[in-house]
Each structure stands twice: as structure tokens, then as C-alpha cells.
Amino acid sequence: MSSTIGGRIAIVGTGSRAAMFVRGIVERPSSSVVALLEPNSVRAAYYNALLTSLGAPQVPVYKPEQYKEMLEKESVEAIVVTCVDALHHLYIIPALEAGVRVLTEKPMTTDIEKCRAILETVQRTGRHLTVTFNYRYNPVHELVKRTLARGKIGTILSVHFEWLLDTVHGADYFRRWHRQKTNSGGLMVHKAGHHFDLVNWWIDSEPETVAGMGKLAFYGQEAGKRHGWAKDYERARGSEEAKKDPFAMHMEHDETLQKIYADAEGEDGYHRDMNVFAPGIGIEDDMSVMVRYTSGATLTYHLTAYSPWEGYRVMFNGSHGRLELDVVESEYRLPADAEGLGGLIHGTSALPHAGGAKVTLQRLWEKPEILPVHVDHSAHGGGDTRMLSNLFGPKPGEVADTGDASKQSANERDGAMALAVGLLANESFKNGQFIDVKSLQLPL
């Protein structure tokens, strides 16, 4: 089987994230979009119009119940799964059984039963899938990987990782379908899954034991009232109260959000602009996690979803030194930054007030060394661009900028290991226990 994906490709789910894949496929003559699977006809029409604007033909649209028919009738060779996280397994499993290549957005799925079902299908069919952990392809992250792999700090003994989501990006998870764990698995699965995969990949190990504490400390009705931020409205559209709320998102100010969500809500009732301080939010916004790895290394991790600035810090302690990564994706936010969110939220555009990145290597008994880095604040730090080149091959006239692709590509085992940390963290939030990964009984 070719290492790159080409041929006849179907897109499963046409939310914001699908656009990157559609563009990447159309730009390469070896591949083409041949079908869309989407229950909302307005959203599907937007994507057919996008195909036309890119010089590609419009394609048939299928409903979820027509999935197997689509695979057969359109002679689909590969699928890209970009639908709601909790539904991924419904499309991954039949595709593997039909011999169709599978490319799925992270997280691979959202609970342990679905994860086991996917892994069992892989074992039964002998076919593998690719999980699009795009942060692996970020050149800065590859520099970290390369430095650690070359033993520059010796044996890795511990890692500290802090990720900060600001009050525009972080707030967005609390106004859309992600605000319920039944849909997304919460931020430990949907967002931190990226970070747990990075650590697994960086230190070349797998998680063994997980514990955590998490809470809804800032968003939601109770916390919002306690801290003085809450406004009394259900959703921003048509609300005068929302106009006074700096956390509100106004879809009419963003053409893409207007077309794929506001114009489409009459069909499915999905409101993309809910009040982040509403009652009934089921995910946490402040989370601490501890992980022990099979290598003996430990991780302390924290995710904050209400920070005034956005970025992350990672520190690796080794037997011969220390490596530090500091990234500032946005130095601050102003209320006006919440307008025109489409590309900003999904990482395709650079955030406003972008900062920089710094990688510092300091061996024991030596002066610190600042390693040279190239910073790209768009396309998830350049990761999306490099990932597309790795997955679908370079565009005509270009040389693939993939980095060390053999180390970057993630499969179902990688997806399961990142998911395991998030799921066990969620469980530990409830029972306060340290939980072993082996208790999940994953068929690996």
C-alpha cells in the first residue's frame, strides 16, 4: 500500500475542519473528492460551492444512513473523517471492513468501548488507520523531538507541560457541541489528546498510570455569576444582552461561520453561538494531570481554557540537562478579536498579537543554548501544511516538506494511547484515584 493517500476520497462531516482537507486534496492531481457524507444539506451545499471555487466538480451528497452505499457506488478508496468526535467509529469501522483507507481527525473516538471496537476491527481486518495529530508536523515540535532523540539531555526523567487557551479560543469549546462530554470526551480528550500524543511521541514511551483533578472553574452559569462575567441570554444571535458580552460570538461577522452554521441551523437546530456561561455545561475548563510512563518518566500537565494569552510551555528534565520550549501564539486578546473567528479558532490563520517561540537547551554544568527555530503561526504552526504533504504527497512543482515522516505519522495505537490518558484523567476527576492504563484492556 502506498505511503501517501490518493485516488477517490470521500469527506465524512462538513464542519469547519473539513475545508483544510478538501483544499489539500483538490490541490493534488493524484487525488479527488468524489463524495460528501453530511446530514445537513445547507452545509453540504457550501462545500460543493467550495469545490467549484477550487476548480473541482461538485460531488454527490449522502446521508449517514447511506454510508455503505456511498462507499460502494462512488468506488471510494479513502475517507477523511471530520464529523462529531463521538461518531467517528460509525465510519471508521465499516471503512476498514470494506478495505477503504481511513484518515480520521483526532481524537480517534471518545470512549473506551468505541476505542476497543476500532482496535478489534484493525486486528480482524489487518488494516490500519491514520490519526491526524497535526502537531507532530510542526517544525518546532520536530526540533524538540530530534533534540531529545539525539540524547542531548540524556535519559528523560520528567516532563512539565502547561497549555493555555485564551478567552476567545478557549471560550469557543463552551459554546458549541464540544461542551458535552458525550460529544467530545471533554477537553482532556478533544484538545489535550494532541498534547498527550506529543509527549508520547517526544519521549518515545507510552502511558502506564494516570491521575488528575479537573473542574468547571470559570465558564458555566455558577462560576460565571460568581466571577461577575455571566450575561443572561441563551445564544448570541438576536440577543441584545449578548452584544454586551465580550465572550459572545457573533456569526454574522464571519462569512464562513454564517454560511456553514447560521444558515444551516434551520435543518438540524444546531446553534454554534451558545452562551458560555449557560447552565448545563458538562466539561471542565481547568485541569491538572499526572502520568507515569513505561520508561519511568513522569508528566505533570495543566490545561487552562480561560487565559488572557494563548500558548504553551514544555520542560524536559534529563540525566544530562534540560530542554525548554516556550510558544506564545497570542500575547493578549481584545473584545474585537472575537469577530471573524473562523480561521483563527481552527488554526488556519495566525492569531492576532502573535508572539514567538523559543527552544532552550541547557546541559548540566554548561551555559544555555538557544536553538534556532522557524515560527509559523498559521496552519497550526505549519503542521497542517507539512501534514498534507506527508499524507497526500507534495503539490505539483513542490518538494514535500514532511520532516521525518516515519516518526510523525500516527496510527490507531497512537490514537489509543493519547485517548487512554484523556479518558483515565476524566475518570480520575470523578474518583480521585491513580488508574493504570492496563485496566482499560485495550486489544493492542
Side-chain angles (χ1 to χ4, degrees), residues 178-228:
H178 303 76
R179 65 201 231 156
Q180 299 303 333
K181 283 189 179 179
T182 51
N183 294 328
S184 67
L187 291 180
M188 283 290 93
V189 170
H190 179 84
K191 184 62 182 176
H194 263 314
H195 315 150
F196 299 142
D197 175 70
L198 273 177
V199 176
N200 297 348
W201 176 63
W202 274 331
I203 70 174
D204 194 25
S205 189
E206 292 185 341
E208 184 176 73
T209 305
V210 180
M213 292 184 287
K215 57 187 175 181
L216 185 61
F218 184 82
Y219 300 107
Q221 185 179 58
E222 182 180 344
K225 287 183 177 180
R226 184 168 62 250
H227 302 308

Side-chain angles (χ1 to χ4, degrees), residues 8-238:
R8 300 174 61 82
I9 303 174
I11 306 295
V12 177
T14 56
S16 300
R17 187 62 175 160
M20 180 200 70
F21 290 103
V22 169
R23 293 178 186 277
I25 293 166
V26 170
E27 288 172 341
R28 292 159 171 83
S30 62
S31 60
S32 60
V33 177
V34 298
L36 303 173
L37 187 108
E38 171 58 55
N40 190 299
S41 64
V42 176
R43 200 168 295 128
Y46 171 85
Y47 270 84
N48 258 325
L50 175 61
L51 285 169
T52 300
S53 72
L54 297 172
Q58 295 200 2
V59 300
V61 178
Y62 291 83
K63 302 293 185 183
E65 61 270 20
Q66 299 174 300
Y67 178 55
K68 291 185 179 179
E69 176 189 346
M70 179 193 75
L71 295 179
E72 182 176 351
K73 188 174 181 179
E74 304 300 333
S75 300
V76 174
E77 296 175 87
I79 62 166
V80 178
V81 181
T82 57
C83 62
V84 172
D85 300 344
L87 304 179
H88 286 186
H89 67 295
L90 297 177
Y91 306 106
I92 292 172
I93 291 172
L96 292 173
E97 292 173 337
V100 173
R101 294 192 70 172
V102 175
L103 182 70
T104 182
E105 260 295 321
K106 59 79 202 166
M108 185 170 71
T109 187
T110 55
D111 66 45
I112 194 58
E113 291 77 16
K114 295 169 186 173
C115 182
R116 288 196 196 105
I118 291 170
L119 296 175
E120 288 166 357
T121 304
V122 168
Q123 289 189 340
R124 176 164 42 85
T125 63
R127 300 190 65 86
H128 299 276
L129 61 107
T130 299
V131 183
T132 58
F133 285 121
N134 54 351
Y135 273 121
R136 289 188 177 201
Y137 299 85
N138 181 320
V140 176
H141 298 165
E142 186 186 1
L143 172 63
V144 170
K145 171 68 174 176
R146 191 185 311 119
T147 303
L148 296 173
R150 290 175 177 173
K152 294 293 187 178
I153 66 168
T155 301
I156 300 168
L157 304 176
S158 64
V159 185
H160 178 67
F161 194 153
E162 179 185 27
W163 197 284
L164 301 168
L165 293 169
D166 64 33
T167 47
V168 174
H169 187 183
D172 200 50
Y173 294 103
F174 297 84
R175 65 170 68 96
R176 47 187 164 120
W177 57 261
H178 303 76
R179 65 201 231 156
Q180 299 303 333
K181 283 189 179 179
T182 51
N183 294 328
S184 67
L187 291 180
M188 283 290 93
V189 170
H190 179 84
K191 184 62 182 176
H194 263 314
H195 315 150
F196 299 142
D197 175 70
L198 273 177
V199 176
N200 297 348
W201 176 63
W202 274 331
I203 70 174
D204 194 25
S205 189
E206 292 185 341
E208 184 176 73
T209 305
V210 180
M213 292 184 287
K215 57 187 175 181
L216 185 61
F218 184 82
Y219 300 107
Q221 185 179 58
E222 182 180 344
K225 287 183 177 180
R226 184 168 62 250
H227 302 308
W229 291 109
K231 296 285 191 272
D232 186 17
Y233 65 94
E234 183 176 351
R235 59 173 305 197
R237 192 177 189 185

Side-chain angles (χ1 to χ4, degrees), residues 20 27 39 54 68-70 115 120-121 228 244 261-263 265 277 301 332 344 359 378 392 406:
M20 180 200 70
E27 288 172 341
L54 297 172
K68 291 185 179 179
E69 176 189 346
M70 179 193 75
C115 182
E120 288 166 357
T121 304
K244 299 179 285 185
Y261 296 115
D263 293 350
E265 64 186 32
F277 298 109
Y301 171 86
Y332 62 93
L344 304 181
V359 179
S378 65
F392 301 108
S406 65

Side-chain angles (χ1 to χ4, degrees), residues 13 107 112 198 265 268 299 390 435:
I112 194 58
L198 273 177
E265 64 186 32
D268 55 20
L299 165 70
N390 184 36
I435 311 173

